[in-house]
Amino acid sequence: MKGNIIKYAQDNIDTDVIIPGQYLKVHDYAELATHAMEGLDPDFHSKVKEGDFILSGRNFGCGSSREHAPIALSHSGIKAVLALSFARIFYRNAVDGAFLLPIEIDQDAYDGISEGDEIDIILSTNEIKNITKNQTYKMKPFSEIIGKIIAAGGLFKYKPDQD
Amino acid sequence: MGKTLFEKIWESHVVVEKQNGPSLIYIDRHLVHEVTSPQAFDGLRMNKRKVRRPDLTIATMDHNVPTNDRSLPILDQTSAVQIQTLEKNCKDFGIKLFDINSPNQGIVHVIGPQLGITLPGTTIVCGDSHTSTHGAFGALALGIGTSEVEHVLTSQTLWLEKPKSFEIKVEGKRKNPHAVTAKDIVLSIIKNIGTGGGTGTVIEYRGQGITDLSMEQRMTIEAGSRAGLIEPDEKAFDYLRGRQYTPKNYESLVDNWKEHLKTDSDAKFEKQFTLNINNIAPQVSWGTNPGMTCDVTESIPSPDEFSKGDPNQKKGAEKALEYMDLEPGTPITDIKIDRVFIGSCTNARLEDLIEASKVIKEQKISTNVKAMVVPGSQMVKKQAEELGIDKIFINANFEWREAGCSMCLGMNPDILSPGERCASTSNRNFEGRQGTGGRTHLVSPVMAAAAAIKGHFVDVRELDLS
């Protein structure tokens, strides 16, 4: 899965800035997307392209449990968020609704990948290739059931009795 | 080796255990509100599924309900639709709802304990990240997202990764418990462990600093972990006794809880932090996450002082100071405020309102300040009115509102204007949380009330709070 990076080099990006509270009444996902990241980066909507990835620091998606956060990012075109760590609810919201992939990375990947870099996420080998810089980093593998939920296309498509 | 309280509750709720992955956990109570549930009910309808245990599911409306006159129609059409949708969903699926006109309506985390729905040793979930509040009673209470809400509605279970156990020991005794509150303890903890310090863990709060707290004070404890727990004791059992939904066999449950709901003396925690509260001061957050907090006697730190060499923390602090329009070196007590919000699931219980009212002593709020009190539930409001607390606030020119989440998250009309600075008893100071461009300082109810009177932060230890 290839895409370009939008980098927010900071920790603790909370769901209030990913989608501010006043939009939690909006049920039209396309409209929700126009407000994605509005609290942090008002230019996000104009610069994001279909297939882009977000790269950020520790504790991404902390705060409010709003599933609107991964929905707004997903409908903006974001296919994955790469972060040093995630808050639990955001992580599960992203996976359960099959909105985007939350990818845990290490410090090498975080330092090595810059804004605009083209990268390739290779889930089969748990590797991230930086095509722009010709570097390769490790990603943390998904736990078994999380991997199965992702492969099934979301929590409600996952059938545990088929294990 | 012994077990922690968390491990005991977890193990007694495992339905399916998987190696190297989440376990399927049984959920005893599911609390539902209007904002994170509509898509979950839509999903049930689409797949022709029922609610598995409507009798264990309780709903209320709190996030976007207006807090002014309830006899008036709701002007915000999208809010009105969300509220009507919850009414329809509860009717269609047979779920008990405390609607906007119910005497039991209120913030879901205030009414759960108040109605005796929250019980020790149970698993409780809600599509809301403040669900950890119920852990004050020794319940394993987790915030979940909307897909998980749908999963619990349809199966009464949840796939959960087992969190790590984290012991936070609060030692010592506060010198002035009216001025230095549970809110100051929890802000001190977050200041020390960081806003992400609890991520991936279940915190068990222990020690005299915790057992000394009343139940309403214990419900202040929220720190970004998956859940927080306090071993239930007589105070917890007394609080829940005789409430509207307290089970009939309550005393036999209490006997069982006394025996089982405790961390064994030889249990090991995976992470540990100790805070001594003998000398802690009232806390004021200055930045844009709860970890950016200092003593009321201190000055705004520079990004270098705050970050201690971590570049991401430094950048975060620089951004926060710019957003908050604050200069390093400014004494906290020099910061002037425009608004005061006493409310939220953290600090809108009867005791919070009583303590805050003691600051007022027939004074009026500063002419430059607009202040409001939003009780956590209609029941809290009624109890406060019976004690005449409402009059104390109203005479001081506070607005006295109906129950709801209100300005904690700025979904209803109660919001800050861009640039306005607010002393708030809520639990999040993220950018734009209380309204686009609004600036939030997290404080205790006593600190908020004192700031309303003076127009700037004051050290409430210097006031007579008898």
Side-chain angles (χ1 to χ4, degrees):
Chain A
M1 189 167 67
K2 288 181 190 170
N4 292 90
I5 292 288
I6 298 175
K7 186 167 179 175
Y8 297 105
Q10 62 188 89
D11 296 335
N12 303 315
I13 289 187
D14 57 81
T15 53
D16 271 277
V17 298
I18 297 172
I19 186 76
Q22 72 243 48
Y23 305 118
L24 301 185
K25 294 170 271 194
V26 176
H27 293 290
D28 175 13
Y29 292 167
E31 190 194 337
L32 208 55
T34 64
H35 301 292
M37 301 303 278
E38 193 174 283
L40 181 72
D41 178 6
D43 300 329
F44 178 79
H45 182 62
S46 57
K47 74 182 176 197
V48 66
K49 298 184 308 297
E50 181 67 25
D52 279 353
F53 305 133
I54 284 176
L55 176 74
S56 190
R58 290 180 288 257
N59 201 26
F60 187 91
C62 62
S64 163
S65 66
R66 56 191 71 166
E67 199 150 306
H68 310 66
I71 292 172
L73 294 178
S74 165
H75 283 260
S76 300
I78 296 292
K79 297 287 180 234
V81 175
L82 290 70
L84 289 169
S85 66
F86 289 89
R88 184 202 86 87
I89 305 176
F90 180 90
Y91 187 91
R92 281 300 301 268
N93 282 345
V95 169
D96 289 345
F99 298 119
L100 53 87
L101 291 180
I103 307 244
E104 272 187 73
I105 53 168
D106 60 18
Q107 196 68 37
D108 286 344
Y110 178 77
D111 293 336
I113 303 172
S114 310
E115 171 85 17
D117 282 0
E118 187 187 13
I119 64 158
D120 188 4
I121 300 169
I122 307 162
L123 295 178
S124 56
T125 56
N126 292 309
E127 280 179 326
I128 300 164
K129 280 211 162 98
N130 188 333
I131 297 165
T132 308
K133 294 199 178 120
N134 196 21
Q135 293 171 342
T136 302
Y137 327 96
K138 286 261 169 260
M139 61 170 264
K140 191 177 164 190
F142 295 115
S143 75
E144 190 187 324
I145 288 185
I146 295 295
K148 284 181 181 170
I149 294 172
I150 290 170
L155 182 61
F156 286 93
K157 295 191 176 139
Y158 166 57
K159 303 221 168 34
D161 51 350
Q162 289 172 2
D163 276 9
Chain B
M1 195 177 74
K3 287 178 179 165
T4 64
L5 173 59
F6 156 65
E7 285 167 331
K8 290 181 186 181
I9 301 175
W10 178 271
E11 284 170 13
S12 66
H13 286 81
V14 169
V15 181
V16 176
E17 194 161 19
K18 296 256 177 188
Q19 289 298 316
N20 311 317
S23 295
L24 193 68
I25 298 294
Y26 193 78
I27 303 302
D28 297 316
R29 296 279 188 281
H30 186 188
L31 310 173
V32 173
H33 65 82
E34 75 277 21
V35 175
T36 53
S37 66
Q39 290 93 338
F41 285 109
D42 286 349
L44 293 186
R45 282 198 187 89
M46 228 153 60
N47 297 297
K48 299 194 169 48
R49 293 192 174 109
K50 289 183 185 157
V51 173
R52 171 101 182 149
R53 293 293 300 267
D55 55 324
L56 302 180
T57 311
I58 289 107
T60 192
M61 29 194 71
D62 54 6
H63 275 60
N64 64 21
V65 294
T67 57
N68 50 8
D69 191 345
R70 289 272 155 93
S71 63
L72 300 171
I74 297 170
L75 292 178
D76 180 341
Q77 281 311 303
T78 49
S79 287
V81 168
Q82 223 166 37
I83 287 165
Q84 287 155 7
T85 304
L86 182 64
E87 283 171 357
K88 179 171 170 19
N89 286 335
C90 289
K91 197 162 163 257
D92 288 357
F93 290 92
I95 294 168
K96 184 180 286 299
L97 168 70
F98 301 121
D99 69 12
I100 196 162
N101 298 312
S102 164
N104 289 336
Q105 181 267 341
I107 305 174
V108 65
H109 311 306
V110 176
I111 68 169
Q114 218 171 22
L115 293 171
I117 292 165
T118 302
L119 294 177
T122 56
T123 49
I124 302 177
V125 296
C126 175
D128 188 273
S129 55
H130 310 288
T131 309
S132 51
T133 310
H134 306 267
F137 293 87
L140 182 60
L142 302 139
I144 57 175
T146 300
S147 298
E148 290 175 309
V149 168
E150 187 179 340
H151 198 273
V152 176
L153 285 174
T154 194
S155 71
Q156 205 59 29
T157 63
L158 205 52
W159 286 108
L160 285 171
E161 207 108 20
K162 191 175 179 185
K164 292 187 164 50
S165 58
F166 184 3
E167 177 187 41
I168 294 187
K169 218 179 231 169
V170 181
E171 291 178 339
K173 220 171 169 57
R174 291 166 292 153
K175 287 200 180 74
N176 184 342
H178 293 291
V180 181
T181 68
K183 182 65 162 279
D184 302 301
I185 297 176
V186 77
L187 284 172
S188 293
I189 291 170
I190 302 171
K191 175 172 78 176
N192 280 286
I193 68 172
T195 190
T199 306
T201 70
V202 166
I203 297 175
E204 186 177 335
Y205 298 94
R206 291 152 63 83
Q208 190 194 357
I210 297 297
T211 52
D212 276 353
L213 297 174
S214 71
M215 286 319 296
E216 300 210 336
Q217 290 165 345
R218 290 182 196 179
M219 284 186 263
T220 301
I221 303 289
E222 181 198 314
S225 60
R226 291 192 189 177
L229 278 174
I230 297 172
E231 197 171 284
D233 58 7
E234 288 298 339
K235 285 183 191 171
F237 305 142
D238 284 347
Y239 188 94
L240 298 171
R241 191 170 276 121
R243 304 239 169 210
Q244 196 174 336
Y245 292 93
T246 304
K248 291 205 172 58
N249 61 339
Y250 187 67
E251 296 312 323
S252 68
L253 290 173
V254 169
D255 291 341
N256 184 292
W257 294 332
K258 278 182 188 166
E259 197 181 325
H260 294 110
L261 293 182
K262 52 182 77 166
T263 289
D264 297 329
S265 55
D266 56 342
K268 293 264 186 300
F269 289 89
E270 288 155 281
K271 204 172 163 185
Q272 214 274 337
F273 172 75
T274 301
L275 178 78
N276 187 298
I277 56 167
N278 281 336
N279 295 309
I280 67 164
Q283 302 292 303
V284 180
S285 79
W286 51 266
T288 53
N289 73 51
M292 295 172 171
T293 290
C294 64
D295 294 355
V296 64
T297 50
E298 290 179 316
S299 299
I300 303 292
S302 71
D304 279 319
E305 285 166 330
F306 173 74
S307 61
K308 300 184 180 90
D310 181 321
N312 273 11
Q313 293 285 338
K314 185 176 173 183
K315 195 171 169 207
E318 285 166 352
K319 264 193 99 249
L321 290 178
E322 193 192 329
Y323 181 83
M324 295 294 287
D325 191 27
L326 290 169
E327 289 291 330
T330 308
I332 293 291
T333 48
D334 282 3
I335 298 172
K336 290 193 174 61
I337 53 153
D338 309 301
R339 304 281 293 267
V340 169
F341 170 61
I342 298 179
S344 89
C345 55
T346 312
N347 279 135
R349 295 183 177 81
L350 186 61
E351 225 178 288
D352 297 316
L353 305 190
I354 292 172
E355 288 296 307
S357 73
K358 288 179 185 166
V359 173
I360 294 172
K361 298 200 192 308
E362 293 174 22
Q363 300 171 87
K364 304 276 184 205
I365 60 173
S366 165
T367 48
N368 303 320
V369 172
K370 268 167 65 182
M372 65 197 288
V373 181
V374 183
S377 68
Q378 291 303 83
M379 212 190 294
V380 168
K381 180 170 183 265
K382 185 164 166 273
Q383 289 167 335
E385 288 171 353
E386 282 164 4
L387 294 171
I389 304 288
D390 58 325
K391 298 284 181 312
I392 299 177
F393 284 114
I394 292 166
N395 290 340
N397 292 335
F398 277 84
E399 291 181 50
W400 179 255
R401 295 293 189 97
E402 306 291 327
C405 300
S406 179
M407 207 198 272
C408 174
L409 86 164
M411 267 197 82
N412 76 351
D414 309 339
I415 55 169
L416 297 179
S417 301
E420 275 190 324
R421 190 178 296 284
C422 181
S424 176
T425 67
S426 54
N427 38 45
R428 303 244 168 92
N429 52 345
F430 300 143
E431 285 189 27
R433 171 84 181 175
Q434 297 191 295
T436 310
R439 298 174 177 133
T440 305
H441 294 274
L442 304 177
V443 288
S444 72
V446 188
M447 284 289 289
I453 303 285
K454 301 287 182 189
H456 59 84
F457 292 112
V458 287
D459 186 345
V460 289
R461 290 175 299 182
E462 293 162 4
L463 306 179
D464 171 19
L465 297 172
S466 56

